[in-house]
Amino acid sequence: MSKIEPNVKVLENNEGLEFTVYKDPIEEGQYIYKKSKIWIKPGVTCLIGCNGSGKTTLFNSIYDIMQTNDSKSDSDNTKLDNVKYLRLDNYGHGSRELMQQALFMGDMSTVISQAQSSEGEQIVGCLCRHASSLGTNVRSLEKGSHLIVSFDAIDSGLSYDNIVDVRNNLFSSMLDDAKKRGINLYILVGTNTYALCDDASYDKMFIHNFKHIKVNSYKSFIKYVIKSCEIKDNR
């Protein structure tokens, strides 16, 4: 286990956030990440890798760091009050959660609709449901604040058209709203689907070595996913 204490700090001139994470976060003696620090800038950062490559583990690490930050006393000068983190994923915020809440509220139409919908339709429904709460969080922050929103496994079961809608509508709307309000918004997306990261303005990060890579074609995307599979198999 790395002896470096996990933390987050705001870079000078609000140029982004730097996270220090454990290189061997699950103490297997195998380094998932070659570097202990990851820098993200405002905008969308896609974490590219096959299943099991370490994308969710990185989300977990960032979540733990932000939980630790939030639990610090107000007198602790290392606490960052202007950095917030929201985590959404297909597992924890998917159809089951939506159906449970609808059942509790007696909203049987939603329960029936979700039960009869495809996996992709269920995910889209949940994203639409959370979109309003995301907007509320953006509007509740002071100018100059930092908001991290992570989406893990949301492309599982989505059609190509659904994915393009998420990218062009949900992500773009969130970024536009944050820009108008002077909020530094960071959208982290774990994906093994090319359509979700097919935007020239997005940062692409190949999970295992924290390198920002340029993915400008389906061919180059597949190359890194295959490489990710090879690394995972060798572990």
Side-chain angles (χ1 to χ4, degrees), residues 119-138:
E119 181 184 10
E121 290 171 335
Q122 292 172 356
I123 297 171
V124 170
C126 292
L127 286 177
C128 291
R129 173 177 170 272
H130 286 290
S132 60
S133 64
L134 292 172
T136 300
N137 276 277
V138 169

Side-chain angles (χ1 to χ4, degrees), residues 6 12 16 34 36 38 41 47 51 94 112 130 144 152-153 161 164 172 190 197 214 222-223 231:
E12 294 183 5
K34 292 183 179 180
S36 61
I38 170 177
K41 66 181 183 180
L47 310 181
N51 293 337
I112 295 172
H130 286 290
D152 192 12
D161 289 343
V164 172
S172 294
C197 62
K214 187 71 173 180
I222 288 298
K223 179 182 74 173
I231 291 172

Side-chain angles (χ1 to χ4, degrees), residues 71-152:
S71 65
K72 292 178 179 179
S73 65
D74 293 335
S75 60
D76 190 335
N77 58 13
T78 65
K79 181 177 182 178
L80 298 178
D81 291 319
N82 64 336
V83 180
K84 302 299 179 185
Y85 180 44
L86 295 176
R87 181 179 181 179
L88 298 175
D89 62 75
N90 189 26
Y91 308 119
H93 299 89
S95 178
R96 179 175 297 180
E97 182 205 40
L98 181 56
M99 290 176 67
Q100 288 176 340
Q101 292 189 2
L103 189 61
F104 177 77
M105 298 298 294
D107 182 3
M108 297 308 297
S109 62
T110 297
V111 174
I112 295 172
S113 173
Q114 286 292 298
Q116 295 179 338
S117 298
S118 67
E119 181 184 10
E121 290 171 335
Q122 292 172 356
I123 297 171
V124 170
C126 292
L127 286 177
C128 291
R129 173 177 170 272
H130 286 290
S132 60
S133 64
L134 292 172
T136 300
N137 276 277
V138 169
R139 291 186 289 273
S140 69
L141 297 174
E142 296 181 358
K143 185 177 180 180
S145 296
H146 302 262
L147 175 63
I148 312 154
V149 183
S150 68
F151 295 90
D152 192 12

Side-chain angles (χ1 to χ4, degrees), residues 200-218:
S201 67
Y202 292 3
D203 267 358
K204 289 86 172 176
M205 187 179 299
F206 173 44
I207 292 302
H208 180 72
N209 57 8
F210 284 173
K211 286 184 178 179
H212 288 265
I213 56 175
K214 187 71 173 180
V215 176
N216 51 21
S217 69
Y218 183 70

Side-chain angles (χ1 to χ4, degrees), residues 152-206:
D152 192 12
I154 62 168
D155 55 354
S156 174
L158 289 181
S159 68
Y160 179 84
D161 289 343
N162 288 151
I163 291 174
V164 172
D165 284 341
V166 168
R167 190 187 72 210
N168 293 345
N169 296 323
L170 179 60
F171 292 172
S172 294
S173 297
M174 291 171 59
L175 291 170
D176 289 344
D177 194 18
K179 184 177 181 179
K180 291 176 183 177
R181 298 176 183 279
I183 305 299
N184 298 291
L185 177 61
Y186 308 79
I187 299 178
L188 297 180
V189 186
T191 183
N192 49 22
T193 303
Y194 177 63
L196 198 55
C197 62
D198 186 20
D199 189 300
S201 67
Y202 292 3
D203 267 358
K204 289 86 172 176
M205 187 179 299
F206 173 44

